[in-house]
Amino acid sequence: MTSHAEHDPENAWSLVVPVKPLARAKSRLAPAVGGPLRGRLALAFAEDTVAAALACPAVRDVAVVTDDPAAAAALAALGARIVPDLPAAGLNGALSHGARAVRALRPSARVAALNADLPALRPAELARVLAVAGQFPRAFLADAAEIGTTFLSASPGVELEPAFGGPSRRRHLSSGAMEIRLPDVDSVRRDVDTADDLAAAMALGVGPRTAARWVRAAG
């Protein structure tokens, strides 16, 4: 993994980002953008997410869990470590596997799971979330709809225990994770599953790869 934390790297965060095969990604976007563009947008979302995460001074490294060759190549080129999804046990299995892979190299790592579909992600906003997360054994951030989850953290020595998917905010609360309530971190909460989500992300200001894909499609 490549270190991107500029200070106190041993206390910096390792992020785990899951990326499903692009052919199956973002199915709810298909009615709005079509099948071929859907996969390309899913990759652009992941690229902008990973690039922004690596630019965050609180982040030491990013582990991407994926079995998609195109996604693996593109995200490795940005500086992410690629972890094959050996369990092939769905989203939460991939996240747990990624956290174990991180701690196999750095047992005392602070670990956080981050959605791969945050194309408007701002490094400074992510840093604010991580600063609060570091105060608790486990903490999470709800998505913009306050139903799902975009971020879940675990302090050194604490298991991640991911419960993503559907109404995961309630499940993470029930698991004992502390909910992070911060103003002005919209970019960390704005995941993209639908055309309305994409419009909201575009209004926030998406990263260059998503913007380029969308401009080419619109043109």
Side-chain angles (χ1 to χ4, degrees):
M1 297 186 192
T2 302
S3 174
H4 291 262
E6 297 176 355
H7 60 279
D8 201 7
E10 289 307 310
N11 285 328
W13 290 85
S14 291
L15 302 189
V16 179
V17 177
V19 177
K20 69 167 58 174
L22 298 176
R24 303 202 311 266
K26 297 299 154 196
S27 58
R28 292 166 62 191
L29 272 179
V33 303
L37 179 58
R38 172 178 55 82
R40 292 194 291 270
L41 276 175
L43 177 55
F45 296 166
E47 289 176 304
D48 284 333
T49 299
V50 167
L54 287 170
C56 176
V59 173
R60 185 181 193 273
D61 42 47
V62 173
V64 171
V65 183
T66 189
D67 277 336
D68 189 283
L75 298 171
L78 293 175
R81 173 194 175 195
I82 305 304
V83 178
D85 185 9
L86 297 178
L91 173 58
N92 293 307
L95 289 171
S96 294
H97 175 60
R100 287 193 297 270
V102 166
R103 286 178 169 165
L105 294 180
R106 197 160 64 99
S108 62
R110 298 171 181 251
V111 176
L114 185 70
N115 283 12
D117 57 351
L118 301 170
L121 185 64
R122 303 286 189 271
E125 293 183 16
L126 177 59
R128 293 182 61 218
V129 172
L130 290 168
V132 174
Q135 301 173 31
F136 304 99
R138 291 173 64 245
F140 75 96
L141 188 72
D143 63 10
E146 299 205 342
I147 296 172
T149 306
T150 59
F151 169 95
L152 173 70
S153 67
S155 294
V158 177
E159 293 297 319
L160 189 62
E161 298 181 49
F164 285 77
S168 59
R169 175 178 179 264
R170 175 173 47 80
R171 290 196 296 273
H172 285 132
L173 274 173
S174 297
S175 75
M178 176 64 65
E179 182 170 11
I180 297 170
R181 305 292 289 184
L182 274 177
D184 303 322
V185 292
D186 294 347
S187 76
V188 197
R189 302 182 65 196
R190 174 42 66 196
D191 56 346
V192 175
D193 289 315
T194 67
D196 286 346
D197 295 338
L198 180 56
M202 296 293 289
L204 284 176
V206 295
R209 296 159 188 84
T210 301
R213 289 286 187 195
W214 192 242
V215 167
R216 285 200 295 270

